[in-house]
Amino acid sequence: MIRCYIGHSKGTVEAEVAKIIAEGEGIADLNRVVLDGDVIDMETLQVHCDTLPFLGGAKLVIVRGLLSRCLKEKPLREGLLAYLPGLPEHCTLVLADDALPRGRETTALTKALRDLPGATVDTADQRRGRPQVSWIEENAPRFGCGISHRAAEHLAAVLPDRDTIEQELTKLAHYRNRTGTISEEDVHLLVPQSRESNIFAFVDAVADGRRRQALALLHDLPNQEPGYVLVMIARQFRLVLKAKHALRSEQAPNEVARAIGLTRAPQRAVNRVISQARRFSVDQLAAIHAHIARTDFAIKRSRLDPATALDLLVVGLCSIASRP
């Protein structure tokens, strides 16, 4: 029997493996093998699969990461597909892998696996948005809690993959003592990526001149030190100023990203900085940096309450940003 899980989280694969063990006959601990697909060769895989189970019963062989290698190594792929039709009846082989890249080779590989006798291929839809939200809502009870729709949407928006989502769901469920419903407020409080998402949304609102939204986001930032908020505002406008200078030589977006030190940032973040740089004049950016420096001085000298100083700064910067 062959079971392929592509794009599923480790927790989901472990749950499926637990079902296989519960439904199988005589899969004792000594008859379970976990192999690293990044390093294993076909000869070693065949030895583990072909060897008879200890004291009879059935055998379970789990290989993680082999399918990704198969896409890169044609001989390995051909060897695997040639071997699998003759997989011994006593062996259940589980092939678990991260989401595979789209393309003809991936399509051909998954089709070949599906066509094998007794094989199933379970491919997860890991796109952000509705598929991910549905998955979170369906799987939250596995961690002992329900989850509100808004909280699920927020997790789907800020977390990159299902392994990370499962880690955060475990933490949130413990916080809730495995009872009740995880709320959006719980996510804001406990998930680091949520806090980072909020601060970046805030500085973008300031740079775009959206005063009402910027103030609302500022007041909604959970437990953020005024000094950190000021640093993040200053960072954003330093990036905008650097991008402004880089754009003078008509550099491509990837060259601008390199010039301002955002080579590892998502492309949408780079595009936002470039868009803001094109909208501001050099004089506006000079005024903004002077305003930030005055606010920093006022807070450090205790001339203004930090919360009031930040409110005034946001109003002032949004006023400058909204000028034509």
Side-chain angles (χ1 to χ4, degrees):
M1 184 167 63
I2 304 163
R3 296 286 180 267
C4 302
Y5 300 98
I6 300 172
H8 288 281
S9 67
K10 291 179 182 177
T12 299
V13 174
E14 288 172 359
E16 293 298 321
V17 167
K19 291 180 185 177
I20 293 172
I21 293 172
E23 294 168 359
E25 294 183 4
I27 304 180
D29 290 343
L30 291 173
N31 290 328
R32 302 173 203 165
V33 181
V34 179
L35 305 173
D36 185 351
D38 290 333
V39 297
I40 195 172
D41 55 42
M42 276 306 305
E43 183 178 354
T44 304
L45 177 62
Q46 290 180 42
V47 168
H48 281 289
C49 293
D50 293 347
T51 303
L52 291 171
F54 183 71
L55 297 178
K59 190 165 189 177
L60 177 62
V61 178
I62 305 166
V63 190
R64 303 183 186 277
L66 183 62
L67 297 180
S68 295
R69 271 187 65 205
C70 284
L71 291 175
K72 302 172 186 175
E73 303 174 24
K74 186 177 179 181
L76 180 65
R77 180 170 71 246
E78 292 176 344
L80 179 67
L81 293 176
Y83 169 72
L84 290 180
L87 185 72
E89 291 186 5
H90 65 253
C91 181
T92 294
L93 176 62
V94 173
L95 299 173
D97 220 300
D98 293 335
L100 301 179
R102 294 184 179 183
R104 280 190 288 179
E105 288 188 348
T106 298
T107 301
L109 176 60
T110 53
K111 182 181 184 304
L113 291 169
R114 285 191 174 97
D115 290 342
L116 292 170
T120 60
V121 178
D122 189 341
T123 303
D125 187 347
Q126 288 202 310
R127 293 173 297 172
R128 287 181 181 245
R130 185 63 222 171
Q132 197 81 302
V133 173
S134 297
W135 185 88
I136 293 170
E137 290 175 329
E138 291 168 4
N139 283 270
R142 180 154 57 90
F143 299 85
C145 282
I147 187 167
S148 72
H149 184 69
R150 290 287 298 274
E153 286 184 324
H154 199 84
L155 282 178
V158 302
L159 297 180
D161 54 61
R162 289 185 181 169
D163 283 337
T164 309
I165 289 172
E166 287 198 337
Q167 292 170 12
E168 295 303 326
L169 283 174
T170 301
K171 180 169 67 179
L172 289 161
H174 277 298
Y175 176 72
R176 280 285 175 185
N177 293 320
R178 299 190 180 278
T179 58
T181 301
I182 296 168
S183 67
E184 189 176 15
E185 289 73 22
D186 297 334
V187 175
H188 282 306
L189 179 64
L190 296 178
V191 178
Q193 293 89 335
S194 175
R195 296 196 294 273
E196 291 172 8
S197 173
N198 289 346
I199 190 69
F200 286 123
F202 160 68
V203 295
D204 270 341
V206 172
D208 290 343
R210 292 178 273 123
R211 184 179 64 181
R212 183 176 298 179
Q213 185 179 7
L215 286 171
L217 287 167
L218 172 63
H219 298 156
D220 195 42
L221 291 174
N223 304 320
Q224 294 286 14
E225 289 293 329
Y228 174 69
V229 175
L230 191 62
V231 165
M232 292 302 291
I233 295 173
R235 171 187 178 275
Q236 183 70 13
F237 283 103
R238 278 198 303 272
L239 291 173
V240 171
L241 182 59
K242 288 181 180 179
K244 187 75 177 177
H245 289 300
L247 287 168
R248 285 180 172 178
S249 57
E250 298 184 357
Q251 297 184 43
N254 62 324
E255 295 172 334
V256 174
R258 191 178 304 111
I260 64 179
L262 288 182
T263 52
R264 295 187 178 182
Q267 187 59 46
R268 63 180 180 277
V270 177
N271 291 341
R272 291 284 294 163
V273 173
I274 291 174
S275 174
Q276 290 161 2
R278 286 176 172 150
R279 195 173 66 252
F280 284 103
S281 68
V282 173
D283 288 343
Q284 283 177 310
L285 291 172
I288 285 169
H289 281 86
H291 206 330
I292 293 171
R294 287 195 298 271
T295 301
D296 184 43
F297 183 82
I299 291 175
K300 288 178 178 177
R301 293 298 179 93
S302 300
R303 294 183 176 181
L304 278 175
D305 171 71
T308 302
L310 286 177
D311 280 348
L312 292 173
L313 175 63
V314 168
V315 171
L317 297 188
C318 287
S319 176
I320 295 172
S322 60
R323 293 173 191 165

